[in-house]
């Protein structure tokens, strides 16, 4: 059976182009993609993942406020009974130019399994998904 | 020969006789529903009254809808409250059911005891998209096995475990149908609604002692709210040959509940709007169990507050609280004093406002780093141009337009997407459910009658 991914752009972020590219890329790579579109709240990712029994939640953020929007998502997943679900985050996820090692560390500490800097190819994430989900 | 349409209501049995050749209503009569003894008694009383008025005694066919004996009472179970549980509720309401309670996530022992107490006519078991969550619906099926009451269970969840649910519930009357939400945010209400109607026809009518009338009538076709929905849909869409009125909303204000119907797409006005929540069906019905003129007058008070009701009725807040208390204790109260008449008018306005606000969608302006944008949840009804009033409290009101005004958009609640300007049509003869029944075989006649009988300030549209 195809592995199921919940994707969407978190917070008050309306950037739709990258979201559509990811939808195409993940679908072409053999995943079942449930795309929540733009301006997605943490609760919407979780509700979708619960109802669909998804294998991973992939959070995008482009507008620089991702660090605020992404806090607490892992804890809420635990509360909703899907504490072990894979969480990825990528895009332009922090304000300004910061060394990505620091940024990545902060997101991993928040409970994300993978965090990606700007300009990451979808193939990188697809490779990680295949490895993490044992596809 | 004329055709007879019967509405077995919870308190009144209403008859409408239609001449098919002329396409006209030729008589109407009513009597108290007698569900405790035999609904046939009330029906016969109403038939005598109809005969006295019109001389009519023989009918080509007799068709009926029913909300007697509590209507079609359903309990629905889903997984996530905003997803499958909500989808199951939307589907059941659209089938004309009274949704007594909605359960989300895993049922507990206490929940199952409560369901046994409720003893619904049908339980709708959903949860999980197709290929999605299995654990919840399987758990709930197992929990229901020990339920102390018996009722048909309609299984409309994750198709991957429908068979397992059914075998878990061996010994129960079950029916399987397509998932009410096969994919995330995809509503699939029609198959569930067909099954509900089929169960209603086959089981519920008999169980409620309504089928003893089988000799008198050719069949109870549907629950009354389903007949109303059918009539409204016909009026909005028209038939192939006759145009309808286009998108419309309707309010049915009763003593215990207030129903709101919308026949509209509800699409946003503005391309810059992001939609949130489940998509809603074109034909949508909501029921407010706490909003009504008598049994639920205290619910209206709780929803808007004594100060607001007092402002509308021009009464002191303490007087409002006292009078609402009296009404709730004695639902047969008539508005026979000036204060009670003023309160009734205020209650009606407030009830219509609350029920329409809960039915309509909302819009929220959100400031993003790239500028303002809008989030819409539910249906945008601002562009709907027709508002229909039905139900005793509205159709007998002297100033229905004034009450109806409360259903419309207001600047003070600009987030609520209610109609901005609509003509008000009043269902003075209470014929919408009858025309929904007639529409089964004679849609054009039914549409012609609806257009003639629903009037704007006393004039047909």
């Amino acid at each position: 059976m195809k592995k199921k991914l919940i994707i969407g752009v978190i917070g008050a972020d309306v950037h739709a182009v990258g979201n559509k590219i990811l939808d195409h890329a993940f679908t072409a790579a053999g995943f079942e993609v449930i795309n929540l579109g733009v301006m997605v709240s943490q609760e919407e990712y979780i509700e979708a993942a619960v109802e669909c029994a998804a294998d991973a939640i992939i959070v995008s953020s482009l507008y620089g406020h991702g660090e605020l929007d992404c806090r607490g998502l892992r804890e809420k997943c635990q509360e909703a009974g899907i504490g072990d679900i894979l969480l990825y985050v990528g895009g332009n996820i922090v304000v300004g130019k910061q060394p990505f090692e620091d940024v990545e560390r902060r997101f991993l500490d928040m409970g994300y399994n993978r965090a990606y800097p700007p300009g990451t190819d979808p193939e990188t994430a697809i490779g990680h998904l295949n490895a993490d989900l044992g596809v | 020969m004329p055709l007879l349409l019967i509405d077995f209501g919870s308190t009144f049995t209403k008859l409408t006789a239609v001449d098919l050749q002329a396409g006209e209503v030729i008589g109407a009569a009513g009597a108290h529903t007698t569900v405790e003894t035999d609904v046939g008694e009330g029906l016969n009383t109403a038939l005598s009254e109809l005969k006295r008025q019109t001389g009519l005694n023989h009918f080509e066919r007799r068709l009926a809808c029913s909300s007697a004996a509590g209507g079609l009472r359903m309990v629905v179970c889903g997984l996530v409250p905003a997803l499958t549980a909500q989808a199951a509720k939307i589907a059941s309401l659209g089938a004309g059911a009274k949704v007594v309670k909605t359960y989300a996530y895993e049922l507990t022992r206490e929940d199952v005891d409560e369901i046994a107490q409720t003893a619904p006519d049908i339980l709708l078991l959903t949860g999980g998209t197709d290929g999605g969550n299995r654990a919840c619906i399987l758990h709930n099926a197992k929990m229901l096995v020990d339920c102390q009451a018996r009722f048909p269970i309609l299984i409309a969840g994750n198709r991957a475990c429908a068979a397992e649910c059914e075998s878990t519930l061996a010994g129960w009357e079950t029916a399987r149908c397509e998932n009410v939400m096969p994919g995330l945010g995809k509503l699939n209400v029609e198959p569930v609604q067909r099954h509900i109607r089929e169960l209603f026809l086959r089981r519920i009518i008999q169980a409620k002692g309504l089928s003893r009338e089988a000799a008198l009538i050719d069949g109870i076709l549907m629950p009354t709210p389903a007949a109303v929905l059918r009539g409204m849909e016909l009026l909005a869409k028209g038939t192939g040959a006759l145009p309808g009125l286009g998108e419309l909303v309707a309010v049915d204000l009763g003593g215990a509940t207030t129903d709101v119907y919308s026949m509209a797409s509800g699409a946003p006005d503005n391309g810059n709007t992001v939609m949130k929540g489940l998509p809603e069906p074109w034909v949508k019905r909501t029921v407010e169990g706490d909003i009504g003129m008598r049994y639920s007058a205290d619910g209206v008070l709780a929803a808007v507050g004594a100060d607001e009701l007092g402002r509308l009725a021009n009464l002191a807040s303490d007087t409002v609280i006292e009078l609402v208390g009296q009404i709730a204790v004695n639902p047969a109260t008539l508005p026979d004093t000036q204060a009670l008449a003023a309160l009734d008018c205020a209650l009606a306005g407030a009830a219509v406002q609350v029920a329409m606000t809960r039915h309509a969608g909302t819009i929220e302006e959100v400031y993003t780093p790239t500028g303002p944008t809008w989030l819409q949840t539910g249906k945008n009804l601002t562009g709907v141009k027709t508002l229909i009033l039905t139900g005793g409290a509205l159709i007998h009101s002297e100033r229905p337009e004034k009450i109806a005004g409360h259903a419309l958009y207001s600047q003070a609640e600009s987030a609520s997407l209610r109609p901005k300007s609509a003509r008000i049509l009043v269902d003075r003869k209470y014929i919408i459910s009858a025309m929904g029944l007639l529409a089964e075989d004679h849609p054009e006649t039914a549409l012609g009658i609806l257009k003639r009988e629903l009037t704007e300030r006393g004039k047909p549209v």
Side-chain angles (χ1 to χ4, degrees), chain B residues 45-283:
Chain B
T45 311
L47 279 169
S48 311
E49 170 64 18
L50 187 64
K51 189 180 174 195
R52 197 184 58 75
Q53 276 180 25
T54 62
L56 292 171
N57 203 13
H58 297 284
F59 300 95
E60 181 189 314
R61 284 187 79 194
R62 297 158 187 248
L63 302 173
C65 58
S66 170
S67 55
L72 172 58
R73 297 168 65 255
M74 288 185 61
V75 161
V76 304
C77 303
L79 172 53
V80 173
L83 298 173
T84 45
Q86 177 70 4
K89 186 177 175 190
I90 289 173
S92 305
L93 287 173
K98 176 175 177 179
V99 177
V100 185
K101 189 151 181 181
T102 305
Y103 294 89
Y105 303 115
E106 293 178 342
L107 290 172
T108 64
R109 180 62 48 211
E110 291 75 26
D111 292 337
V112 174
D113 290 344
E114 191 178 69
I115 292 170
Q117 289 288 317
T118 306
D121 296 315
I122 301 174
L123 183 139
L124 175 58
L125 186 59
T126 72
T129 52
D130 282 346
N133 182 288
R134 298 165 55 90
C136 181
I137 192 169
L138 287 173
H139 168 90
N140 290 347
K142 285 196 189 86
M143 292 298 288
L144 285 167
V145 167
D146 296 325
C147 185
Q148 294 300 308
R150 274 287 189 273
F151 36 80
I153 296 179
L154 181 55
I155 301 164
N158 183 355
R159 64 188 288 271
C161 45
E164 200 175 331
C165 285
E166 203 164 36
S167 59
T168 302
L169 289 161
W172 283 72
E173 177 176 359
T174 54
R176 264 162 72 176
C177 93
E178 285 174 35
N179 196 339
V180 72
M181 201 178 89
L184 193 85
K186 291 194 186 79
L187 270 188
N188 181 34
V189 295
E190 285 86 7
V192 171
Q193 292 174 342
R194 275 198 303 276
H195 272 83
I196 292 173
R197 183 166 166 194
E198 201 263 331
L199 277 169
F200 174 79
L201 291 177
R202 189 158 50 80
R203 282 250 347 190
I204 314 304
I205 296 167
Q206 215 166 13
K208 288 185 181 293
L210 297 175
S211 64
R212 277 174 285 178
E213 276 318 301
L216 278 175
I217 55 182
D218 297 305
I220 294 182
L221 296 177
M222 53 186 104
T224 303
V228 174
L229 275 167
R230 180 82 184 82
M232 300 279 183
E233 192 178 0
L234 175 73
L235 182 62
K237 288 182 176 166
T239 64
L242 285 173
L245 299 183
E247 296 192 337
L248 56 86
V249 295
V251 186
D252 181 346
L253 175 56
T257 62
T258 301
D259 289 28
V260 180
Y261 302 83
S262 60
M263 310 290 130
S265 75
D269 288 332
N270 174 333
N272 201 7
T273 304
V274 176
M275 293 296 295
K276 286 288 159 192
L278 273 188
E280 295 191 342
W282 200 87
V283 175

Side-chain angles (χ1 to χ4, degrees), chain A residues 7-20 35-41 44-45 60 62, chain B residues 271-277 368 373-375:
Chain A
I7 73 168
V9 187
I10 200 166
D13 193 342
V14 293
H15 292 92
V17 178
N19 169 257
K20 293 207 162 55
N35 187 354
L36 304 181
V38 300
M39 298 184 80
V40 179
S41 69
E44 287 175 288
Y45 287 107
S60 299
L62 203 80
Chain B
N272 201 7
T273 304
V274 176
M275 293 296 295
K276 286 288 159 192
T368 74
T373 189
W374 286 268
L375 285 183

